[in-house]
């Protein structure tokens, strides 16, 4: 009896794995095609300074408009692109596109917006990464200190020699580094002090107000960042209560659905204008 059900669940398990693998392969082939067919695009989500109520930058977020499946979120295809190595040319495309589009907007608005770009460890490890980054900025004239590369703690945890030297080259170039999803990984503050990071992005997991400990965690992260002279940005702010919660704990920069969802480049001017017009005094 026991053995029987054991075998059945094992069969079900292997079947599930096989299905998953097949889906993965199909999506992988699709992704190569999508990349060539320009089904991929960048959405942008504003980042707001609560002290002024103004938009100070945007984060570029990949989107895949699949002809049959509709919008596929990056959580479903970025890991595949990482496995196959496609993330290297794809990431380069993202860098070029994000720098170019935001430089266009900076000129149009005469505003000093920053653009934040997510970088995968695999992409960062590529020997051509620094040159590709430099080229992306040069091609459109984006000042290096207006590009912010978002990395995660996973990249820093091995304390690899080459990661370390690349980070300092980027730092000398003037490119800013942000630590994404902070608090969800190793969260070792020694990394923050050791590497030339300029922004800590507190993960949106800490925005749930029904968890008492989040107040202490957000407060502690902000206090340490302050002491180290770093900026803190809260991700995933969805309500005015959450805005008040993080503002009270000294966090000045925010990003979240409360201000705007990620939007296509063409909608960005309207969205920025709306935020700038509505928040300026309410925020503080
Ligand atoms: P991330 O870098 O932490 O980006 C923030 C994610 O949170 C985005 O999801 C964004 O849409 C979502 N978000 C923003 N505000 C809110 C909010 O108030 N509530 C909720 N529930 N969610 C919010 P998205 O666009 O699905 O991206 C997911 C992840 O995919 C990103 O997390 C990033 O790790 C990765 N990703 C996106 N674009 C790229 C890319 O160009 N390259 C690489 N390597 N990874 C990317
Ligand atoms: Mg990010
Ligand atoms: Mg992330
Ligand atoms: Mg994040």
């Amino acid at each position: 009896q026991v053995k029987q059900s054991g075998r059945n669940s094992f069969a079900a398990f292997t079947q599930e794995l096989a299905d998953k693998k097949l889906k993965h392969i199909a999506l992988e082939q699709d992704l190569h095609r999508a990349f060539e067919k320009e089904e991929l695009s960048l959405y942008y989500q504003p980042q707001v300074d609560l002290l002024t109520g103004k938009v100070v930058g945007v984060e570029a977020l990949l989107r895949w408009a699949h002809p049959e499946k509709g919008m596929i979120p990056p959580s479903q295809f970025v890991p595949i692109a990482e496995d196959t190595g496609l993330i290297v040319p794809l990431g380069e495309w993202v860098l070029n596109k994000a720098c170019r589009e935001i430089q266009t907007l900076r000129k149009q608005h005469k505003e000093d917006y920053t653009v934040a770009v997510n970088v995968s460890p695999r992409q960062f490890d590529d020997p051509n990464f620094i040159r590709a980054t430099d080229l992306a900025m040069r091609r459109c004239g984006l000042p290096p200190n207006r590009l912010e590369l978002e990395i995660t703690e996973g990249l820093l945890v091995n304390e690899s020699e080459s990661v370390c030297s690349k980070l300092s080259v980027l730092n000398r170039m003037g490119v800013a580094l942000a630590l994404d999803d902070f608090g969800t990984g190793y969260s070792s503050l020694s990394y923050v002090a050791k590497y030339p990071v300029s922004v800590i992005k507190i993960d949106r997991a800490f925005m749930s107000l029904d968890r008492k400990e989040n107040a202490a965690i957000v407060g502690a992260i902000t206090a340490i960042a302050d002491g180290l002279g770093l900026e803190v940005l809260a991700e995933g702010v969805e309500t005015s209560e959450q805005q008040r919660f993080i503002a009270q704990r000294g966090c000045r920069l925010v990003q979240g659905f409360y201000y705007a969802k990620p939007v296509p480049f063409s909608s960005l001017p309207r969205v920025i204008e709306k935020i700038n017009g509505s928040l300026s005094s309410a925020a503080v």
Side-chain angles (χ1 to χ4, degrees):
Q1 178 73 45
V2 170
K3 212 174 185 180
Q4 185 66 39
S5 84
R7 199 178 302 140
N8 283 344
S9 62
F10 181 70
F13 177 67
T14 47
Q15 185 58 48
E16 196 183 307
L17 267 186
D19 287 352
K20 220 172 163 184
K21 181 83 195 160
L22 270 180
K23 252 191 208 155
H24 193 289
I25 291 169
L27 210 55
E28 179 186 331
Q29 285 166 349
D30 253 13
L31 187 56
H32 274 96
R33 183 192 47 79
F35 189 36
E36 273 146 29
K37 284 206 149 180
E38 296 173 26
E39 287 168 19
L40 301 174
S41 68
L42 293 181
Y43 274 36
Y44 294 94
Q45 187 178 36
Q47 300 178 328
V48 178
D49 181 348
L50 287 180
L51 225 53
T52 61
K54 303 287 183 208
V55 172
V56 290
V58 294
E59 176 175 9
L61 295 157
L62 255 177
R63 292 293 179 266
W64 180 3
H66 193 283
E68 288 126 41
K69 296 183 183 118
M71 273 294 182
I72 304 181
S75 57
Q76 275 178 39
F77 67 88
V78 166
I80 295 177
E82 282 168 348
D83 283 353
T84 57
L86 187 65
I87 195 68
V88 173
L90 184 56
E92 206 172 307
W93 177 85
V94 170
L95 267 169
N96 277 297
K97 182 121 177 148
C99 289
R100 182 160 24 88
E101 291 190 322
I102 297 315
Q103 180 60 2
T104 303
L105 195 69
R106 286 165 45 84
K107 283 186 189 155
Q108 275 170 9
H109 288 194
K110 299 192 171 62
E111 291 286 350
D112 207 17
Y113 304 133
T114 59
V115 59
V117 175
N118 292 284
V119 177
S120 293
R122 173 103 181 238
Q123 182 192 354
F124 190 89
D125 278 340
D126 187 77
N128 199 36
F129 178 70
I130 301 269
R131 192 149 33 120
T133 305
D134 187 49
L135 259 178
M137 297 184 296
R138 278 180 200 281
R139 280 193 187 115
C140 64
L142 181 78
N145 68 354
R146 300 292 91 189
L147 175 66
E148 206 171 273
L149 299 179
E150 295 198 358
I151 57 169
T152 49
E153 290 167 279
L155 189 71
L156 308 180
V157 75
N158 294 325
E159 308 194 32
S160 112
E161 195 74 55
S162 82
V163 166
C164 192
S165 70
K166 272 190 189 179
L167 287 173
S168 50
V169 171
L170 287 166
N171 185 239
R172 266 179 277 136
M173 283 161 63
V175 173
L177 286 171
L179 213 44
D180 205 354
D181 308 333
F182 192 80
T184 59
Y186 310 87
S187 306
S188 162
L189 291 157
S190 67
Y191 299 133
V192 179
K194 197 160 150 189
Y195 295 98
V197 171
S198 49
V199 184
I200 295 179
K201 298 189 76 176
I202 305 179
D203 194 78
R204 70 181 160 86
F206 301 102
M207 296 305 125
S208 45
L209 303 184
D210 49 344
R211 292 184 146 267
K212 274 242 163 68
E213 63 269 31
N214 284 349
I217 294 169
V218 171
I221 294 176
T222 319
I224 289 164
D226 250 7
L228 294 171
L230 307 175
E231 295 195 273
V232 196
L233 183 147
E235 293 191 275
V237 176
E238 294 179 349
T239 65
S240 58
E241 289 76 28
Q242 289 172 329
Q243 173 178 278
R244 199 171 328 114
F245 165 77
I246 54 108
Q248 277 168 354
R249 278 156 194 87
C251 178
R252 179 171 169 176
L253 300 171
V254 287
Q255 187 181 336
F257 294 172
Y258 182 58
Y259 312 96
K261 289 193 169 171
V263 294
F265 181 64
S266 60
S267 308
L268 199 48
R270 189 177 42 81
V271 166
I272 290 176
E273 199 182 347
K274 192 161 170 236
I275 294 173
N276 286 348
S278 67
L279 265 173
S280 41
S281 57
V284 272

